[in-house]
């Protein structure tokens, strides 16, 4: 488990006379799982090419990784500016979880499977789950009363 990472992105927009800077905190990053060879899989690159079921030779994998808490800190100076409009984003309660599952569907496990277990006999399935509990953007726009004087 990794405690926290701070990510920042910045860019200038010279033609628009604006810029962007976003800072985001990622807290409680985790990963767990296993990777192992499937029964009867061959990983020999010198093997003579012939028609075969390629999916049978992928590794069996059960891997879960995620971030439990993602947010834009209130004290950050995050903004989007295109020269006319300046937007200040606010985000709380973000989360991300990715699962990679494959090769866990032999006949013995199918008979004793749990109802919440995902079975993938051939190939690999990637499942992504993400969400944000609150996202808002406050915008300020310059409106010229007499644009012809600019």
């Amino acid at each position: 488990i990794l405690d926290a990472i701070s990510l920042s992105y910045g860019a200038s927009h010279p033609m628009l006379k604006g810029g962007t800077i976003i800072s985001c905190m990622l807290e409680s990053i985790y990963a767990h799982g296993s990777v192992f060879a499937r029964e009867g899989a061959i990983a020999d690159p010198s093997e003579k090419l012939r028609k075969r079921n390629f999916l049978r030779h992928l590794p069996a994998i059960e891997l879960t990784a995620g971030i439990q808490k993602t947010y834009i800190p209130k004290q950050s100076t995050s903004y989007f500016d295109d020269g006319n409009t300046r937007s200040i984003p606010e985000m709380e309660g973000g989360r991300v979880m990715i699962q990679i599952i494959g090769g866990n569907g032999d006949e013995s496990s199918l008979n004793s499977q749990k109802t919440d277990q995902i079975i993938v006999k051939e190939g690999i399935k990637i499942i992504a789950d993400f969400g944000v509990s609150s996202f808002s953007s406050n915008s300020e726009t310059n409106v010229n009363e007499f644009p012809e004087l600019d």
Side-chain angles (χ1 to χ4, degrees):
I1 294 180
L2 187 60
D3 190 38
I5 291 178
S6 174
L7 295 178
S8 294
Y9 166 79
S12 64
H13 312 300
M15 291 184 72
L16 298 174
K17 299 179 184 171
T20 299
I21 186 164
I22 302 293
S23 296
C24 185
M25 291 294 297
L26 312 174
E27 291 185 354
S28 300
I29 301 167
Y30 63 92
H32 57 85
S34 62
V35 178
F36 49 92
R38 296 181 193 202
E39 187 176 329
I42 299 170
D44 185 2
S46 65
E47 182 184 335
K48 196 174 184 181
L49 293 176
R50 62 178 180 225
K51 192 173 182 178
R52 65 173 187 253
N53 185 354
F54 173 73
L55 298 177
R56 187 180 71 132
H57 300 284
L58 292 174
I61 185 168
E62 290 186 31
L63 179 67
T64 301
I67 304 165
Q68 292 180 347
K69 186 177 180 185
T70 304
Y71 61 95
I72 296 175
K74 298 253 188 233
Q75 66 273 17
S76 76
T77 57
S78 297
Y79 67 90
F80 304 106
D81 188 352
D82 66 3
N84 287 325
T85 304
R86 182 179 177 108
S87 299
I88 302 168
E90 296 176 359
M91 181 184 75
E92 292 181 3
R95 61 174 172 67
V96 178
M97 190 267 304
I98 296 174
Q99 282 185 301
I100 303 172
I101 303 168
N104 61 349
D106 60 345
E107 293 301 322
S108 62
S109 69
L110 288 175
N111 295 333
S112 62
Q113 74 182 16
K114 298 176 188 171
T115 57
D116 61 342
Q117 183 180 10
I118 299 170
I119 302 296
V120 181
K121 285 184 178 184
E122 290 186 344
I124 293 176
K125 182 180 276 191
I126 299 173
I127 302 166
D129 180 24
F130 57 91
V132 174
S133 63
S134 170
F135 182 82
S136 65
S137 180
N138 298 320
S139 297
E140 301 169 354
T141 302
N142 294 330
V143 178
N144 297 329
E145 189 172 345
F146 300 105
E148 62 274 359
L149 297 177
D150 285 341

